[in-house]
Amino acid sequence: MALDLHADPIDLTAALVDVPSESGQEAELADLVEAALRRDAPHLEVVRNGDAVLARTNLGEPSRVILAGHLDTVPANDNLPVRREGEHLHGLGTVDMKSGDAVFLHLAAAVAEPKHDVTFVFYDNEEVEATRNGLGRIERELPDWLRADLAIVGEPSNAVIEAGCQGTMRVQLRIKGQRAHTARAWRGSNAIHGLYEPLRRLAEYRPRTPEIDGLTYHEGLQAVRVHGGVAGNVVPDDAVLDINHRYAPDRSPEQAEQHLREVFDGYELSVVDVSPGALPGLDAPAAAELVRAAGGQPVAKLGWTDVARFSALGMAAVNFGPGDPALAHTRQENVAISDITQVTQVLRTFLS
């Protein structure tokens, strides 16, 4: 098959969805995207990096914008092939994020002389561990391709601009006890029982809702997993509580860690995973121009996305794509056709 980048983005979305591309298996789709860009967008410089495809204009404009979308999906859940029901497309990747990819691919062919230079980045392995994310490889091997004034990541955002993103941190709180036979439990110290006080602090915790650049972020602190227990007749001597903290981008990872150590003062705490947030950056000229083109009020991104990677490279970054993020990774994944049309129209206006 071949992808027609001049087709309506709705039809292009359906074509992309019907090419399976679970993380680590994006080669077939990357081949099709590369061939389509070389054929339908001859004005672009196109390169291949692993199973990522990159393309850009070189018009000498004073500003450059990145449009970035990942090609991979989570594993299928009896939700392929694509099907259309009324005003929605149903199927794996319709939301996360082949509809966003379709919009970007269509614009790559349709807008040959944008008023900003544009770099298109279609990358691999976003849905798995961060060390495999194609953006990291591109940053190491082709750093010049990730330099711009604004990055637009096509993650689903209900066709509304979501600015910045919150950081995420996962910590483990460990309780040490002493083993004993449950028939003589008084000779031991139950580590699982020792989790009572940390859990009480979590239950009573009131997260911040800071306002940054007029956008309200909602922090969170949740127990997500408990490890412990030896056998049915043994007092456990070790228990671990996994805690996830979503923190607003006005805090650095170091500040977020210090906050957790204050909340759980007196307990052994270790950080096992952390990703920084990204400030909204809506005062950047290109970002402000995008907001005007969208004609609506941007909102805060409460989850973590790759906008944080772009922000760390020194540019403003936003999420803007079709679909409801609450439907991502679900068997019921579907995207409103109106969202695809809306995002296409806004970005066409912004670029041309």
Side-chain angles (χ1 to χ4, degrees), residues 42-45 56-64 108 111-120 351-352:
H43 56 283
L44 297 176
E45 176 189 1
R56 66 184 176 187
T57 62
N58 293 294
L59 301 174
E61 297 294 339
S63 59
R64 179 173 290 276
V111 184
E113 296 184 359
K115 61 183 176 181
H116 304 278
D117 267 311
V118 184
T119 300
F120 299 89
L351 293 176
S352 59

Side-chain angles (χ1 to χ4, degrees), residues 11-276:
D11 297 325
L12 188 52
T13 297
L16 292 175
V17 170
D18 276 344
V19 182
S21 57
E22 183 179 335
S23 302
Q25 301 174 34
E26 302 96 334
E28 180 184 0
L29 183 55
D31 289 345
L32 292 170
V33 167
E34 180 183 7
L37 285 169
R38 294 188 185 279
R39 183 191 66 246
D40 293 343
H43 56 283
L44 297 176
E45 176 189 1
V46 180
V47 300
R48 180 76 173 258
N49 179 268
D51 285 332
V53 184
L54 301 91
R56 66 184 176 187
T57 62
N58 293 294
L59 301 174
E61 297 294 339
S63 59
R64 179 173 290 276
V65 174
I66 290 175
L67 300 182
H70 61 83
L71 297 175
D72 62 320
T73 69
V74 296
N77 187 13
D78 195 27
N79 51 358
L80 284 175
V82 71
R83 70 183 193 279
R84 179 167 179 168
E85 293 183 0
E87 295 303 307
H88 291 79
L89 289 178
H90 294 252
L92 175 65
T94 49
V95 168
D96 192 12
M97 54 164 288
K98 290 185 175 179
S99 55
D101 290 333
V103 171
F104 294 170
L105 285 167
H106 174 78
L107 293 172
V111 184
E113 296 184 359
K115 61 183 176 181
H116 304 278
D117 267 311
V118 184
T119 300
F120 299 89
V121 181
F122 301 98
Y123 61 103
D124 54 308
N125 284 305
E126 189 273 345
E127 298 288 8
V128 288
E129 58 269 27
T131 55
R132 292 172 57 189
N133 190 306
L135 286 178
R137 185 186 65 250
I138 294 167
E139 183 181 350
R140 293 189 300 271
E141 299 177 5
L142 299 171
D144 180 61
W145 283 78
L146 297 183
R147 292 175 184 158
D149 301 282
L150 171 67
I152 302 171
V153 180
E155 291 282 2
S157 67
N158 289 304
V160 173
I161 294 172
E162 293 183 328
C165 73
Q166 299 201 137
T168 180
M169 176 176 290
R170 187 163 58 88
V171 300
Q172 289 186 333
L173 185 152
R174 184 176 294 273
I175 300 290
K176 292 291 188 181
Q178 182 176 335
R179 290 193 192 187
H181 196 294
T182 54
R184 294 173 290 278
W186 61 89
R187 294 186 175 181
S189 174
N190 193 309
I192 292 178
H193 291 183
L195 292 176
Y196 168 79
E197 173 59 20
L199 288 170
R200 184 194 65 78
R201 295 184 191 182
L202 275 170
E204 295 180 357
Y205 182 80
R206 294 295 177 264
R208 294 193 311 151
T209 57
E211 184 174 296
I212 306 171
D213 293 346
L215 306 179
T216 301
Y217 290 84
H218 295 260
E219 294 189 331
L221 188 62
Q222 292 289 315
V224 293
R225 185 179 292 114
V226 175
H227 315 260
V230 180
N233 59 354
V234 178
V235 174
D237 62 345
D238 187 70
V240 177
L241 180 65
D242 279 15
I243 302 165
N244 181 243
H245 180 37
R246 298 297 176 126
Y247 58 95
D250 61 341
R251 276 182 169 162
S252 67
E254 294 76 18
Q255 290 170 327
E257 179 182 349
Q258 179 60 33
H259 173 63
L260 293 189
R261 293 194 182 280
E262 292 170 358
V263 172
F264 298 106
D265 182 44
Y267 291 92
E268 179 185 343
L269 210 64
S270 59
V271 178
V272 295
D273 184 52
V274 60
S275 296

Side-chain angles (χ1 to χ4, degrees), residues 161 287-296 342 345-347 349-351:
I161 294 172
E289 187 179 337
L290 175 62
V291 170
R292 289 194 296 271
Q342 171 71 6
Q345 291 174 344
V346 168
L347 290 179
T349 298
F350 170 66
L351 293 176

